[in-house]
């Protein structure tokens, strides 16, 4: 903690020198009664969700400009970010900021139009260069790799070999090199682990089908073919079942589609195979696993799924205590909260995600801003009832959801896109950012559109640019490419970069317990504290286009100065005496 305070002291000195954040001392006051929020003007009514599809521009005036605008230059922005010194994180630490990467569409290292592991390794410095004092990287210190194992599909969620790398992505040597380079940068890598189902082309399934076809109407024997119990076979065509190829007698469960036969995770021999697969990837240096479709391990049977997750969690933690596990349980919050009974580290927090989640609704003013802080307070109580050591896994978008640039329309669309990203990154736990969200990429409708090539440049023929999934529609992006946005200090890219920098500089943001400041929140203001060990920070978010003034008075409030600010344009917070004015869609953080 002494090192942390030293860094924080240096942070404040730099802030004073550059005066880019309005720093000052206000009178103190009681935290729940003496702070009055005064709205200058009502927020203009939102003009629609805008989550239609690809060619709907939804306000082309949101296009990023290639030249800096306003008063702040890039050099000043870099100094401001450099003042926010990230806290050092060991590889054993399980609180991080993760970047979700679809390798297929990220960066092409061999010129075939398909992203690969070499390409991702080449771009690691974009994600994190390993030097906390540089500001050119995003600052994410975790990577979630979508499936990288051999598969007949472009998305690779139907695995044919659990201990190999898909040839489209490269070789195992490429993966080992990626892990080595990530370790140099203190980036923890977790990989997608798909054990709800395999591919119908997996040798286990192929052998089981061959056996059943030859068996005919007889009774299968696991002694003759152990793989016949690796899946759910039946002579009856149940709901979600498909017919075994070549047989008019046998069926198998495949809830997603016929090419993804569901595995029988109660089978002890299969569990032994899964344990060996876990051993294999841990030996390769992965830091944990993202568990796909955990709600479907036993469809419609949450208690059974929790029991399976308990087995898996215990098994992995015995091998590597600091391995990080996060499960996808795509359902309502009261249901997925119960999955923490398994002892798993994290379950994705779907209530905050998507175009109709808490974050988007607050950013669009469809829901009062006050609902955000209250929700943060509520979820920690809910999850802790099931696992006191839980780590929340907030995310805003992912590979299955429409990209967030399509959620907003009208003149405030870009500002809303920014503040929504901040609301994700201000949450406690491990915040996940889907690649390209930091650029305001578009993509909606069919899945391929949501997994478009990373928008490094407008030049589709530039070295490293990917072609994207074959069935992807033509997508005209709403905001500029990375190449353009890097030159604009007010771009979505620079906004995300600073938001991540702030997140990494304050342990209380990532690890703190939340207390909602109900009396200071209303339709367009959300305010809350975060406390971690001896650090207390106050966060105020103005979810409107108009500036808001907050009055600070009394002896117990304890605010000393503005520790950090996050702004959508050149307008910044001003602290004068006992009043702080927060610009439209501005975020201000006070320390105590």
């Amino acid at each position: 903690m002494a090192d942390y305070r030293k860094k924080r002291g240096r942070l404040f000195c730099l802030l004073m020198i550059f005066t880019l954040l309005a720093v000052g001392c206000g009178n103190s006051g009681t935290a729940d009664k003496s702070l009055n929020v005064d709205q200058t003007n009502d927020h203009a009514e939102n003009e629609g969700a805008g989550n239609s599809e690809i060619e709907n521009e939804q306000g082309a005036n949101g296009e990023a400009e290639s030249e800096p605008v306003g008063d702040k230059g890039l050099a000043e922005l870099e100094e401001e970010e450099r003042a926010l010194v990230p806290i050092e994180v060991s590889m054993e630490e399980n609180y991080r900021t993760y970047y979700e990467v679809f390798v297929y569409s990220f960066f092409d290292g061999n010129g075939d139009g398909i992203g690969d592991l070499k390409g991702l390794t080449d771009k690691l410095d974009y994600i994190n260069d390993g030097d906390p004092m540089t500001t050119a990287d995003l600052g994410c210190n975790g990577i979630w790799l979508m499936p990288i194992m051999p598969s007949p599909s472009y998305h690779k969620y139907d695995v044919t070999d659990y201990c190999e790398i898909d040839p489209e992505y490269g070789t195992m040597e490429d993966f080992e090199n990626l892990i080595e380079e990530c370790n140099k940068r203190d980036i923890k890598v977790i990989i997608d682990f798909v054990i709800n189902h395999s591919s119908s082309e997996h040798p286990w399934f192929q052998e089981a089908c061959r056996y059943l076809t030859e068996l005919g109407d007889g009774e299968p024997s696991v002694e003759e073919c152990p793989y016949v119990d690796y899946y759910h076979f039946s002579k009856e065509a149940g709901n979600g079942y498909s017919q075994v190829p070549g047989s008019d007698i046998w069926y198998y469960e495949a809830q997603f589609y016929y090419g993804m036969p569901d595995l029988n995770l109660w089978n002890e021999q299969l569990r032994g195979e899964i344990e060996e697969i876990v051993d294999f990837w841990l030996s390769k240096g992965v830091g944990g696993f993202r568990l796909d479709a955990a709600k479907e391990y036993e469809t419609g049977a949450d208690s059974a799924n929790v029991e399976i997750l308990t087995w898996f969690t215990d098994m992995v933690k015995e091998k590597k205590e600091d391995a990080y596990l996060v499960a996808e349980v795509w359902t309502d919050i009261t249901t997925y909260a119960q999955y923490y009974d398994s002892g798993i580290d994290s379950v994705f927090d779907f209530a905050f995600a998507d175009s109709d989640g808490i974050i988007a609704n607050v950013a669009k003013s469809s829901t009062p801003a006050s609902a955000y802080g209250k929700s943060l307070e509520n979820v920690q109580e809910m999850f802790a009832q099931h696992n006191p050591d839980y780590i929340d896994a907030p995310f805003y978008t992912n590979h299955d959801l429409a990209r967030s640039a399509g959620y907003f329309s009208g003149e405030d669309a870009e500002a809303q896109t920014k503040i929504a990203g901040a609301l994700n990154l201000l949450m406690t736990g491990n915040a996940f950012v889907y690649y390209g969200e930091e650029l305001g990429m578009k993509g909606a409708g069919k899945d391929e559109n949501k997994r478009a090539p990373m928008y490094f440049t407008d030049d589709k023929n530039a070295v490293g640019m990917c072609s994207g999934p074959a069935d992807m529609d033509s997508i005209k992006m709403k905001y500029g490419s990375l190449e353009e946005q890097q030159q604009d200090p007010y771009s979505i890219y620079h906004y995300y970069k600073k938001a991540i920098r702030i997140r990494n500089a304050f342990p209380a943001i990532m690890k703190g317990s939340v207390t909602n400041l109900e009396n200071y929140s209303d339709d367009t203001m959300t305010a809350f504290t975060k406390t971690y060990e001896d650090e207390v920070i106050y966060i105020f978010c103005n979810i409107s286009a108009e500036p808001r003034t907050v009055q600070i008075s009394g002896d117990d409030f304890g605010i000393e100065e503005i520790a950090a600010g996050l702004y959508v344009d050149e307008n910044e917070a001003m602290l004068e005496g006992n009043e702080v004015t927060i610009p439209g869609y501005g975020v201000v953080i006070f320390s105590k």
Side-chain angles (χ1 to χ4, degrees):
M1 187 54 67
D3 290 341
Y4 162 64
R5 291 299 175 195
K6 182 176 180 181
K7 289 179 179 179
R8 287 290 301 278
R10 180 170 54 180
L11 184 157
F12 293 132
C13 287
L14 285 168
L15 287 173
M16 290 292 288
I17 292 171
F18 299 113
T19 61
L20 291 170
L21 297 174
V23 178
C25 295
N27 297 331
S28 53
T30 55
D32 60 343
K33 295 182 180 179
S34 301
L35 192 65
N36 300 313
V37 178
D38 201 23
Q39 184 171 5
T40 306
N41 282 306
D42 291 334
H43 172 44
E45 186 172 338
N46 182 270
E47 298 183 32
N51 187 22
S52 55
E53 297 311 333
I54 304 309
E55 298 303 333
N56 181 4
E57 280 306 291
Q58 300 174 338
N61 61 349
E63 189 89 16
E65 299 181 20
S66 59
E67 294 299 324
V69 295
D71 299 327
K72 184 185 298 180
L74 292 171
E76 292 175 300
L77 179 66
E78 289 175 3
E79 294 295 350
E80 181 180 323
E81 291 180 356
R82 197 170 289 116
L84 295 162
V85 181
I87 302 302
E88 293 181 9
V89 177
S90 70
M91 288 301 288
E92 291 73 31
E93 174 65 76
N94 271 338
Y95 280 88
R96 293 176 177 267
T97 305
Y98 277 90
Y99 193 67
E100 180 190 355
V101 175
F102 180 41
V103 176
Y104 193 95
S105 290
F106 194 67
F107 198 73
D108 176 15
N110 62 6
D112 64 357
I114 296 174
D116 48 44
L117 297 175
K118 284 184 177 179
L120 174 57
T121 304
D122 288 343
K123 283 294 183 181
L124 279 182
D125 282 352
Y126 170 76
I127 300 170
N128 194 322
D129 64 8
D131 185 348
M133 294 310 297
T134 59
T135 62
D137 57 314
L138 275 179
C140 292
N141 51 11
I143 292 176
W144 157 24
L145 294 177
M146 289 171 62
I148 56 174
M149 300 164 190
S151 166
S153 66
Y154 83 94
H155 53 70
K156 311 197 187 307
Y157 275 101
D158 43 349
V159 177
T160 59
D161 186 341
Y162 284 95
C163 293
E164 257 301 346
I165 299 294
D166 191 292
E168 286 187 321
Y169 287 176
T171 66
M172 189 60 70
E173 183 180 358
D174 294 332
F175 180 77
E176 292 166 350
N177 185 53
L178 170 67
I179 295 295
E180 181 180 352
E181 292 301 317
C182 284
N183 288 342
K184 292 178 183 177
R185 296 163 173 80
D186 292 324
I187 299 173
K188 194 163 193 168
V189 177
I190 64 173
I191 62 171
D192 232 313
F193 198 22
V194 187
I195 56 172
N196 173 69
H197 53 264
S198 75
S199 169
S200 60
E201 297 180 20
H202 194 288
W204 297 338
F205 186 74
Q206 294 281 307
E207 180 59 26
C209 288
R210 183 198 62 76
Y211 171 76
L212 290 174
T213 301
E214 294 177 357
L215 180 66
D217 198 26
E219 290 301 316
S221 166
V222 293
E223 285 75 22
E224 294 175 354
C225 180
Y227 304 121
V228 78
D229 197 42
Y230 279 26
Y231 300 88
H232 299 286
F233 291 102
S234 173
K235 292 180 182 179
E236 298 181 3
N239 184 40
Y241 276 67
S242 298
Q243 195 162 28
V244 169
S247 172
D248 57 2
I249 299 172
W250 291 99
Y251 300 85
Y252 64 94
E253 185 179 17
Q255 293 292 333
F256 286 119
Y257 96 110
Y258 69 87
M260 294 178 172
D262 288 9
L263 288 162
N264 174 19
L265 295 173
W266 300 105
N267 180 278
E268 290 297 330
Q269 188 167 335
L270 174 59
R271 287 188 175 192
E273 303 254 25
I274 291 172
E275 184 170 351
E276 290 180 7
I277 295 165
V278 167
D279 284 335
F280 176 83
W281 289 106
L282 290 179
S283 72
K284 294 296 181 181
V286 304
F289 303 95
R290 180 263 185 184
L291 299 173
D292 180 64
K295 184 176 75 72
E296 308 304 328
Y297 289 165
E298 289 288 336
T299 300
D302 294 313
S303 60
N305 294 330
V306 170
E307 188 174 340
I308 292 169
L309 272 182
T310 301
W311 157 73
F312 186 86
T313 299
D314 291 345
M315 178 264 291
V316 173
K317 293 294 187 177
E318 286 178 6
K319 299 175 183 297
K320 184 176 174 60
E321 187 176 0
D322 65 321
Y324 176 61
L325 302 177
V326 55
E328 178 201 27
V329 184
W330 195 343
T331 184
D332 62 275
I333 190 169
T334 56
T335 301
Y336 66 73
Q338 299 171 32
Y339 281 68
Y340 278 112
D341 288 334
S342 66
I344 195 168
D345 297 308
S346 299
V347 179
F348 281 115
D349 208 344
F350 275 89
F352 288 81
D354 208 353
S355 60
D356 59 354
I358 293 169
I359 289 174
N361 280 335
V362 167
K364 290 182 289 190
S365 297
S366 301
T367 298
S370 57
Y372 175 76
K374 185 62 177 175
S375 296
L376 296 186
E377 189 175 60
N378 288 343
V379 296
Q380 66 187 8
E381 297 171 5
M382 182 184 296
F383 296 161
Q385 291 175 3
H386 297 277
N387 177 5
D389 297 320
Y390 83 95
I391 302 172
D392 196 7
F395 73 105
Y396 179 37
T397 65
N398 68 14
H399 59 281
D400 289 322
L401 306 179
R403 287 191 175 273
S404 65
Y407 298 175
F408 309 104
S409 62
E411 63 181 0
D412 294 332
E414 184 173 347
Q416 291 169 323
T417 299
K418 291 174 179 177
I419 192 70
L423 294 179
N424 178 43
L425 289 162
L426 288 171
M427 289 180 67
T428 301
N430 286 323
F432 286 76
V433 176
Y434 186 39
Y435 81 96
E437 287 299 292
E438 74 275 17
L439 303 177
M441 283 178 58
K442 284 182 62 178
K446 58 187 178 183
D447 286 343
E448 289 85 349
N449 297 339
K450 304 165 188 174
R451 304 162 187 176
M454 176 64 176
Y455 196 29
F456 286 111
T457 175
D458 272 328
D459 183 0
K460 296 181 179 180
N461 298 316
V463 173
M465 287 296 289
C466 301
S467 301
D471 293 332
M472 180 186 74
D473 294 330
S474 176
I475 302 174
K476 181 174 176 56
M477 292 299 171
K478 185 174 182 179
Y479 302 106
S481 68
L482 171 66
E483 195 172 55
E484 295 172 286
Q485 292 197 36
Q486 284 176 326
Q487 304 308 311
D488 178 3
Y490 302 113
S491 66
I492 296 172
Y493 164 72
H494 280 296
Y495 183 92
Y496 259 82
K497 192 152 64 75
K498 187 179 179 187
I500 294 170
R501 190 90 177 179
I502 290 173
R503 176 179 177 81
N504 292 342
F506 294 90
I509 292 180
M510 198 173 293
K511 302 179 183 181
S513 60
V514 176
T515 299
N516 182 44
L517 300 178
E518 185 174 354
N519 290 353
Y520 320 136
S521 302
D522 58 21
D523 287 352
T524 61
M525 177 74 75
T526 182
F528 50 94
T529 67
K530 282 196 162 190
T531 304
Y532 176 69
E533 295 180 345
D534 60 348
E535 179 186 38
V536 180
I537 59 174
Y538 297 77
I539 301 177
F540 293 85
C541 305
N542 177 8
I543 315 294
S544 73
E546 302 299 328
R548 299 289 306 274
T549 297
V550 177
Q551 305 255 339
I552 304 171
S553 61
D555 296 329
D556 300 324
F557 195 66
I559 287 178
E560 299 175 355
E561 57 193 330
I562 295 177
L566 192 58
Y567 311 112
V568 298
D569 54 29
E570 68 273 13
N571 297 302
E572 301 188 356
M574 297 296 294
L575 182 62
E576 296 181 358
N578 66 343
E579 288 189 347
V580 59
T581 299
I582 306 172
Y585 296 106
V587 177
V588 173
I589 299 173
F590 298 97
S591 66
K592 179 177 179 180

